[in-house]
Amino acid sequence: MTTLDSHSVESSTGTSPSKSRWWQGAAIYQVYVRSFADGNGDGTGDLTGARKKLRYLADLGIEAIWFNPWYPSPMADAGYDIADYRDIDPVFGTLAQAEALIGEAHELGIKVIVDVVPNHCSDAHPWFQAALAARPGSPQRDLFWFRPGRGENGELPPNDWNSIFGGPAWTRITERDGTPGEWYLHLFAPEQPDFNWDNPRVREEFEDILRFWLDRGVDGIRIDSAALLVKDSSLTDLGGQPDALARHPFVDLDGVHEIYRAWRRLTDSYAGDRILIGEVWLPDRERFTRYLRPDELHTAFNFDFLGCPWQADRVRSVIDATLADHAPVGAPPTWVLSNHDVVRHVTRYGRIDTSFSMNDRRLGEPSDLTLGTRRARAVVLVTMALPGAVYIYQGEELGLWEVEDLPAELLQDPIWVRSGYTDRGRDGCRVPIPWDGDEPPFGFSPPGVATWLPQPHSWKGLSVDSQAGDPGSMLELYRKALHIRSRETSLRTRELRWLPSAEDVVTFKRGNDFVCVANLSSNPVELPPHRELIVSSLPLENGRLPVDASAWLRS
């Protein structure tokens, strides 16, 4: 007899929108430029390479591309330390090439989203260089958070805040006369000074930056560290662990919403359905959804789903919570499994603990990559069947895993140094992806060229060329699912209904007759009544759905 869990009673969340807009259900592909495709043969990805691969992305079935920062940068934090927001780093190409890429993508029906970093810039940015040359109290320094130190001679930081990358959040400068001077705030690396968003000039500058890229035809702006811009100007000490009910002095302060309301007005003034996407890491779901009110951001990344373990009750719970959180503000949810900051999900799903936290990436923990790949195939069908937009991080469609044995001397993530060489950081998910051939660089660069991070020889068999046309490959599963998703009318609504299922089986219905079922139990299970098997992540076993597999059905 089948045991039914608490989700056996059919329920629904959400309503069908009267008119669907592209971003409400798009499949969006994340391009980490330096690791996507090398067009000039120097071992680093660039815009020339990306332009050559636009047809690949169109054939894959995606509808938009999000490009990580491509601006001039000293690369202290992989381009998130920006020296010029209105140009392209020479490593990647030129502004003219970026404009051509945007046009070529549009010709293929692909939207383009660029990454803007408003919390901080590079210490090489002209504004910060001018601030270093200016005097304390000057207008140039007021664009950032310069403050005198504490202690008898100002030798102590202004407060006890720590950097998100580890170590103190303050660095002391040397004044023009050679004496120890003020301190400046950097919530990330010292090479990334924080802007002072209390200064109207900062707000005016970023609105102009948005216009610059919107004028060039970009369809969306992804906002890095969106909840961090506004700080408590009193610079209150955290005092160890802040009270959970107290307002954090630099996270999610109410004033940040004024900024995004202004950005929304600006974005809405452009034709063509332009959008704002927030990177918002917040434990408080109610405060998270404030960013998605109708006059603020269009969407925000759903990190609760990314961190969810491979357990049926947890999967159902996070889906329910996500849909319930988004419904009151009318915003579509987003679903993401991997990105440039997290351990690739093939590796995560192969571990005993399949959850993920940014505070503990558990690098080096044993992972069964065969099991992880099996589960990754299953979860992608679940993800693509959910209401809302889905993000795909380059290489996940190939089943790439985290490269955890990169030589220490090649690691570039500032987390490695800032953690005292205890946290190897995020480089393992940023290794250049394989395109063809039997050995590195796997067509990413010309034969014999060393890529900026080395590819593992074990990626042989995971290249685009080796998987193309193989119906059992990860690549062909993604292609098939994405193309079905784009034309399936049942997946264009916001409705989701849970269907009766065994305790460790996740089953839900979209529209009138589209059913997704995922088997997270330890035994094969019978499929619910259906008239068609649309696609399955693994072949059925005597008509039953295997362990760690999922399927789309026509009921």
Side-chain angles (χ1 to χ4, degrees), residues 150 158-161 232-239 247 249-250:
R150 297 188 291 189
N159 65 21
D160 66 355
W161 296 358
D232 179 352
S233 59
S234 67
L235 300 179
T236 305
D237 277 346
L238 279 170
R247 177 176 293 175
F250 62 78

Side-chain angles (χ1 to χ4, degrees), residues 166-236:
W170 296 90
T171 291
R172 195 176 193 185
I173 70 167
T174 300
E175 300 292 355
R176 291 188 301 173
D177 61 4
T179 61
E182 291 190 309
W183 298 70
Y184 69 88
L185 176 68
H186 51 86
L187 293 184
F188 294 90
E191 297 87 354
Q192 296 168 288
D194 280 39
F195 285 112
N196 174 16
W197 276 86
D198 293 341
N199 189 311
R201 191 179 172 196
V202 173
R203 301 189 181 216
E204 294 167 3
E205 171 71 359
F206 272 91
E207 289 185 20
D208 190 69
I209 291 167
L210 263 60
R211 290 190 193 95
F212 181 89
W213 289 105
L214 292 169
D215 287 345
R216 276 151 186 79
V218 303
D219 304 281
I221 307 289
R222 184 263 189 187
I223 307 162
D224 182 69
S225 301
L228 304 183
L229 276 57
V230 175
K231 279 80 172 175
D232 179 352
S233 59
S234 67
L235 300 179
T236 305

